Amino acid sequence: MRVLMFGWEFPPHISGGLGTACYGLTRGMASIPDLKVKFVVPKAFGDEDKSKVERIIGANDISVLNRKLRTTHYSQLLDYIEVDSKLVPYVDPEDYYRLRSLNVGETFRFFQTDAEGKFHFTGKYGTTLLEEIRNYAIIANMIAQDNDFDIIHAHDWLCYPAGIAAKEASGKPLVVHVHATDFDRSGGSVNPIVYDIERRGMQAADKVITVSNLTRNIVIEKYGIPAEKVVTVYNAVDPLKTQNITYSPKGIDEKIITFLGRITMQKGPEYFIEAANKVLQRMDNVRFVMAGSGDMMEKMIRRAASLKITDRFHFTGFLRGQDVYSMLHMSDLYVMPSVSEPFGISPLEAMQSNVPVLISRQSGVSEILTYAIKTDFWDIDAMADAMYGVLSYPSLSTFFAKHGKEEVDSLKWENSAHKIKKIYDELVSK
């Protein structure tokens, strides 16, 4: 079976959990002999790991010259996205970009391409994101015309328009994979544009995969998708290859509690700081690390300063690769107080490193973990008590570290891949 899979990033060019999950899933699929994946990204850099996929296709390498989109309803989606794409009506003659026309349905539209008829993609999440999503969908339609495959798999809202476009060009079944919804990212104050793109993708899909039952319920209740169309397949974690990691020395004779993730509303950083303040009122041989970046970082620094605990707090900025595991190696407890976490791979990485974890009950990963301490994200007293208990009672820490490591080692991407393969088989057989 051949899969045309659309993602937004692929290692080594990743900036968060979405890229990590996509890579893990493709690695799991590589263990299934008759499953071949062509993975499409907006921008291919040329140094992607191609060992586990049949091919990496960069939308930035596809020319639109002398091409026609194969579409029926897709042009309506294009109209919708184009409204919010900040296209300029005129391009300066000195500019590298040129206006080129594409036949979309019965009309012609103009788009900015280079001299070879290729779109420019950053592959990032900047101010041109909607425009890049729209252009990605245009290229997806062409890729679907030019490649042989049996099924389409699109990851998260950024890629749903591409999945719809590929389905219209090919008539092949579409699976959309919900790694998060805008209800998770926004704390409930959804962006109507993003919400509508998500809903359109879920409606167009033949099957919707969610990463937890928490997310499945949101898809059914908030987006009106029939329950029989939505199935949960949990994420996993890649085996930890310790031989490739150089650990930095701890350097202090104190306990370390670590928050590792985006410093945004979704991740609950303010609850971490409030709980830390309560712990510091009971013990002083502990330091707190907030590793990550995000729009709430400055606010969190100011809050720590107002509580007069900045001498016990460290803000490292965004960590990646080996630095993540080096930080975890120094940690005595990992905390993920997320307000709404569709899954959450980072606790699994901490457990791999023999670190006890404290997670919120409002996380998908809490559905599958037994040897993790769980509290409500808003219950800072319970969170502080759990932190204090793990640091004060070595036997408790050892218990969760030992059994947590054994538990997480059984969570393999191969298992997730086999469950998705069954979904593919069901759809293709129809």
Side-chain angles (χ1 to χ4, degrees):
M1 181 179 292
R2 298 157 300 177
V3 183
L4 184 63
M5 187 173 289
F6 292 93
W8 199 259
E9 53 187 29
F10 201 81
H13 305 281
I14 63 173
S15 61
L18 176 60
T20 301
C22 291
Y23 184 53
L25 185 58
T26 56
R27 287 169 62 89
M29 288 180 168
S31 68
I32 304 175
D34 62 337
L35 195 61
K36 304 295 181 184
V37 176
K38 292 179 180 177
F39 199 97
V40 187
V41 289
K43 182 174 182 176
F45 293 86
D47 59 347
E48 290 83 3
D49 181 1
K50 303 177 181 67
S51 62
K52 303 301 181 183
V53 295
E54 182 180 15
R55 183 183 170 196
I56 295 286
I57 302 175
N60 59 309
D61 293 326
I62 308 297
S63 175
V64 301
L65 292 181
N66 303 314
R67 297 297 302 267
K68 182 176 180 179
L69 301 185
R70 190 179 298 166
T71 174
T72 52
H73 303 293
Y74 169 58
S75 59
Q76 298 172 12
L77 178 65
L78 199 66
D79 283 335
Y80 175 78
I81 301 176
E82 188 169 346
V83 169
D84 292 285
S85 297
K86 297 174 182 176
L87 289 177
V88 295
Y90 174 75
V91 180
D92 191 84
E94 287 78 31
D95 199 305
Y96 174 69
Y97 300 108
R98 299 182 181 180
L99 291 176
R100 300 220 179 253
S101 64
L102 275 178
N103 189 326
V104 182
E106 298 302 319
T107 64
F108 285 86
R109 288 195 183 86
F110 289 91
F111 303 93
Q112 296 181 29
T113 72
D114 65 16
E116 296 178 333
K118 298 177 181 179
F119 286 121
H120 170 73
F121 289 95
T122 65
K124 305 294 184 183
Y125 304 91
T127 56
T128 61
L129 182 59
L130 280 175
E131 183 180 338
E132 292 197 27
I133 290 172
R134 185 212 57 185
N135 292 346
Y136 192 30
I138 292 170
I139 298 300
N141 190 283
M142 297 173 185
I143 291 173
Q145 295 179 49
D146 296 341
N147 288 270
D148 293 325
F149 55 92
D150 302 293
I151 198 161
I152 306 158
H153 191 145
H155 289 281
D156 238 25
W157 73 278
L158 300 158
C159 304
Y160 294 169
I164 295 172
K167 179 179 180 178
E168 291 222 329
S170 66
K172 299 297 174 64
L174 168 65
V175 173
V176 301
H177 205 134
V178 185
H179 295 266
T181 70
D182 207 48
F183 285 91
D184 302 301
R185 291 182 292 264
S186 67
S189 302
V190 297
N191 182 317
I193 298 170
V194 176
Y195 172 83
D196 205 48
I197 292 174
E198 290 177 327
R199 185 174 57 83
R200 288 169 186 251
M202 295 173 194
Q203 290 174 336
D206 298 277
K207 206 67 155 183
V208 178
I209 297 175
T210 59
V211 295
S212 65
N213 288 329
L214 176 73
T215 304
R216 181 175 184 269
N217 291 336
I218 292 174
V219 167
I220 295 168
E221 295 170 9
K222 302 293 188 181
Y223 294 83
I225 306 302
E228 62 273 14
K229 186 175 174 178
V230 190
V231 61
T232 294
V233 177
Y234 291 109
N235 286 336
V237 64
D238 284 321
L240 179 60
K241 299 177 181 178
T242 55
Q243 65 271 21
N244 298 325
I245 301 174
T246 302
Y247 294 117
S248 302
K250 191 171 183 179
I252 55 173
D253 187 24
E254 293 176 304
K255 303 293 186 180
I256 293 179
I257 298 180
T258 298
F259 170 106
L260 180 69
R262 296 194 313 277
I263 306 177
T264 62
M265 179 188 301
Q266 179 188 353
K267 302 297 183 179
E270 66 269 42
Y271 301 101
F272 178 74
I273 288 181
E274 299 302 329
N277 184 49
K278 288 182 176 291
V279 172
L280 287 168
Q281 292 171 13
R282 300 166 69 178
M283 59 192 304
D284 58 7
N285 65 326
V286 56
R287 291 180 180 270
F288 295 86
V289 174
M290 185 164 279
S293 58
D295 60 353
M296 289 183 67
M297 186 170 184
E298 182 178 340
K299 182 179 179 181
M300 293 303 96
I301 294 173
R302 290 181 180 277
R303 180 54 181 160
S306 69
L307 293 171
K308 297 181 171 56
I309 59 174
T310 50
D311 60 322
R312 313 305 297 173
F313 244 88
H314 301 267
F315 294 88
T316 68
F318 182 73
L319 299 181
R320 69 175 74 241
Q322 179 174 296
D323 290 337
V324 170
Y325 289 102
S326 184
M327 185 67 250
L328 291 173
H329 181 72
M330 291 186 281
S331 301
D332 297 281
L333 178 65
Y334 169 84
V335 180
M336 187 184 76
S338 296
V339 174
S340 180
E341 185 72 49
F343 188 75
I345 291 178
S346 55
L348 305 183
E349 295 173 335
M351 294 166 75
Q352 282 184 323
S353 301
N354 292 294
V355 180
V357 301
L358 167 59
I359 60 178
S360 72
R361 292 192 178 96
Q362 291 72 32
S363 62
V365 73
S366 71
E367 299 172 12
I368 62 171
L369 290 180
T370 300
Y371 296 102
I373 306 168
K374 304 169 190 178
T375 67
D376 292 308
F377 73 86
W378 45 261
D379 196 341
I380 58 175
D381 289 314
M383 201 181 302
D385 286 343
M387 292 177 180
Y388 179 80
V390 170
L391 298 188
S392 301
Y393 299 99
S395 59
L396 186 64
S397 175
T398 300
F399 174 84
F400 279 103
K402 177 180 182 296
H403 292 286
K405 177 72 164 63
E406 294 170 353
E407 182 175 35
V408 77
D409 285 345
S410 68
L411 302 176
K412 301 182 183 298
W413 280 113
E414 288 82 355
N415 299 335
S416 302
H418 278 281
K419 292 177 181 178
I420 291 176
K421 174 62 161 55
K422 290 181 180 179
I423 295 171
Y424 291 167
D425 290 339
E426 175 190 339
L427 292 176
V428 171
S429 67
K430 291 181 180 179

